[in-house]
Amino acid sequence: MTEATLADIQAETKNTIDAYLTNYIQRLPEHAIDLKEAMQYALLVGGKRMRPLLHRITAETLGISYLDSLPVAAAIECIHAYSLVHDDLPAMDDDDLRRGQATCHIKYDEATAILAGDALQTLAFEIIADTSSKQLSHETKVKLITCIAKASGYSGMCGGQAIDLAATNQRISLERLTQLHQLKTGALLTACVETATLMTPNIAECDVANFLTYAQSIGLAFQVQDDILDVTASSEVLGKPSGSDQKANKSTYPALLGLQAAREQLQNYHAEALQALDRLPYNTQLLRQFADLMLNRTH
Amino acid sequence: MTEATLADIQAETKNTIDAYLTNYIQRLPEHAIDLKEAMQYALLVGGKRMRPLLHRITAETLGISYLDSLPVAAAIECIHAYSLVHDDLPAMDDDDLRRGQATCHIKYDEATAILAGDALQTLAFEIIADTSSKQLSHETKVKLITCIAKASGYSGMCGGQAIDLAATNQRISLERLTQLHQLKTGALLTACVETATLMTPNIAECDVANFLTYAQSIGLAFQVQDDILDVTASSEVLGKPSGSDQKANKSTYPALLGLQAAREQLQNYHAEALQALDRLPYNTQLLRQFADLMLNRTH
C-alpha cells in the first residue's frame, strides 16, 4: 500500500460522495429553488472530503464495504457543510471566502444561507434514517444517529463553536483551547471513526478505545496544523485569507505556545495517533497514511 | 369529555414537556454556558406546546401512553423552538418579540441564537435516537426520525420558510400561499399526528390517511387563523406586534381573499378536519376539541 493509494482512495471518495449528494439534492422537489441551489452549492463547492475519507478507510479497515459506509460518510459531510455555512455568517466568523469561492451567504443571501445550513443538518439525519442499505440494521442506524447528534450538537461541534466565539479577543488557557478544538472539530472527526466501529458487530471494547484515541489525536493534530497554516501559508494556497485567526484575535496554538512548540505539539499528537494504531489487531496502513496526511498537508 | 378536559391535558402537557426539556438541558455539561442558557431560553419561554399536545392526544387516541409519546413530543417541540429562533433572526423576519418576550438573538446575541437553533435541531434527533423508552423499537425510532426530518427540512418547514422569504413584497397566488403554509407550518403539525400513527402497530392504511387529512386541514386552519389574528387582534393579546404581516408586506389569506372569505376558508378547513375524524374507528373526541381550539383561539 503506497502513499499514492490513499490519494487514489481520496479522489474516488470525493467523486462518489459528490455524486451521492448531488443525486440526493437533485431528487428534491423544486418548490424553493434558491434554497435547493444554496444547499447544493454549500455541499459541492470545493472541499477535500476528509471526513468521508476518514470514515471510509476506518470502515474498510474493519471490513465494511464502501457501499455500506457511503450513506454515513455523506451524512457526516452534510453536518460538516452545514457547520461551515453557519460559521461563515456575518454574525459568526464573517468570512466571504471558503475553499477559494464565495461563501454561501455571499453567493446567495444571509437568510438563504441560514436555511441551507438548517436543511443540510436535517438532511444528514434523514440520509441515515432513510437509507435503504440492507447492511445497516435499525439498531445500527439509531446508534449512528445518536453518535452523530452528540458529536454535532451542544456536546460537540456547536458547543465548540460557542466556546470559540466567546474566546475571541480573549487569551484563553491551553486547556480551554484544547477543549474548544476537541468539541469544534475533534468531535465530528471522532464520529467519522466511531460510526465505523458502531457498524462493526462484536468489536472489542479495547479496540474501540484505541480507534477513538487515534481519532481524537488526529483531530487535535488537524487543528494545530490548521492554526500553523493560518500563520505560515499564503491566502492563495489556503483558499481563504491567511492570518485570519490573528486578525480575528483568536487564541491559537502558535499564539499560545509559539510556532516551534506548536509544531512539537503537532508531532506529539501524531505520535499518539500512531501508537493507538499499533495497539489494534487490524491492518491500519490506510489510517496511518491518513495521520501523515494531516501532518503534512499544506492547506 | 368536556372542553375543560382538553384544557387540563394542555396544561399538564405544558408542565411535563417543560420539565422533560429542562431536565434534558440541565444535564448537559457546562462548557458553553451562554449557549446552554440560550437553548433553555428558546425552549422554555412561553409557548403553548400545541405540537406536543397534538402528538399526545393523537397517541392517546391510538392507545399509546403519554410516557411513550413524551420523547417524541419533546423532540418535535425542539424542532419548533429552533425554527422560531432562526425565523426571528435579523436576516429572516427580524422580530424582537416572541410570545411577549425578547427573542433569543435580542436576549443573547445573533451568533448565540444561530447556534442555539442549530443545537436544538440536533437535540430533537438525539432525544428520539437516544431515549431509553422500551416501547419505541429501533425500527420505530428510525421511522420517527425519517418522518420528523422530512417534515422539518427542505421538503417541509425549511422549504416553506424559503418560499415565505421569497414571497415577501410579492403578491403570490392562493395556490402558492397554500403550499407555503403546508410546508412552513403544516408539515410539522402533520408530523405530530403522523408520528403517533407510526408508533401504532398494524394501523390500517386508510386510517392513517384520515389522520393525515385531519392534520393537514387543521394545519391550514391554524395558519389562516394566524393571518386573521394578525389583522384583528391587538399586539398585547398576540404577544408580538399585530399587523406585522402587513408591515412586512407578506401575502396572507385575508390579503388575498378578504377577511370574510378568509374566515369562510377557515371554516372549510375545520369542517374537512372533522369529516376526516368521522371516518376513523376511534374515539376522536380530543382531536375534535383540538380542531375547535384551532378555530377559536384568540392568540
Side-chain angles (χ1 to χ4, degrees), chain A residues 29 31-32 35 82 86 91 111 118 121-122 125-126 129-130 138-139 142 146 149-150 152 154 158 163 165 176 179, chain B residues 29 31-32 35 82 86 91 111 118 121-122 125-126 129-130 138-139 142 146 149-150 152 154 158 163 165 176 179:
Chain A
H31 54 249
L35 176 57
Y82 117 70
H86 281 189
D118 289 345
Q121 177 176 188
T122 324
F125 296 109
E126 182 183 324
D130 205 28
H138 296 304
E139 182 175 4
V142 167
T146 304
K150 285 186 194 287
S152 57
Y154 177 86
C158 286
I163 296 175
L165 289 169
R176 183 75 168 158
Q179 183 188 39
Chain B
H31 53 248
L35 176 57
Y82 118 67
H86 281 189
D118 289 344
Q121 175 173 191
T122 324
F125 296 108
E126 182 183 325
D130 204 29
H138 296 303
E139 183 175 3
V142 168
T146 305
K150 285 185 194 286
S152 56
Y154 176 86
C158 286
I163 296 175
L165 289 168
R176 183 75 169 159
Q179 182 189 39

Side-chain angles (χ1 to χ4, degrees), chain A residues 45 84 87-88 93 95-103 239-240:
Chain A
V45 170
L84 298 184
D87 285 3
D88 287 337
D93 295 348
D95 280 318
D96 292 355
L97 275 181
R98 163 75 66 182
R99 299 165 173 172
Q101 311 261 2
T103 48
K240 63 180 181 185

Side-chain angles (χ1 to χ4, degrees), chain A residues 146 149, chain B residues 20-21 24 43 70-76 78 120-133 136 141 145:
Chain A
T146 304
Chain B
Y20 185 96
L21 291 171
Y24 220 102
L43 272 176
L70 187 54
V72 183
I76 291 172
C78 287
L120 286 173
Q121 175 173 191
T122 324
L123 191 60
F125 296 108
E126 182 183 325
I127 284 176
I128 294 186
D130 204 29
T131 179
S132 56
S133 167
L136 292 183
K141 285 181 177 182
I145 289 166

Side-chain angles (χ1 to χ4, degrees), chain B residues 158-179:
Chain B
C158 286
Q161 175 68 359
I163 296 175
D164 197 10
L165 289 168
T168 301
N169 296 319
Q170 281 192 37
R171 192 181 170 87
I172 58 174
S173 68
L174 187 63
E175 195 184 353
R176 183 75 169 159
L177 182 66
T178 302
Q179 182 189 39

Side-chain angles (χ1 to χ4, degrees), chain A residues 197-273:
Chain A
T197 68
L198 292 171
M199 294 161 71
T200 310
N202 306 318
I203 185 170
E205 262 182 53
C206 61
D207 291 345
V208 173
N210 282 316
F211 272 113
L212 296 186
T213 300
Y214 163 79
Q216 286 151 5
S217 300
I218 59 166
L220 286 167
F222 181 85
Q223 197 56 52
V224 178
Q225 179 70 328
D226 217 49
D227 285 0
I228 292 172
L229 287 174
D230 192 71
V231 178
T232 59
S234 71
S235 301
E236 206 180 323
V237 171
L238 286 179
K240 63 180 181 185
S242 68
S244 61
D245 291 338
Q246 207 176 346
K247 240 174 274 161
N249 220 351
K250 291 200 170 183
S251 291
T252 64
Y253 289 98
L256 287 189
L257 294 172
L259 190 56
Q260 186 50 39
R263 286 189 166 131
E264 281 163 24
Q265 186 68 68
L266 175 60
Q267 296 290 349
N268 290 343
Y269 286 136
H270 183 247
E272 273 174 30

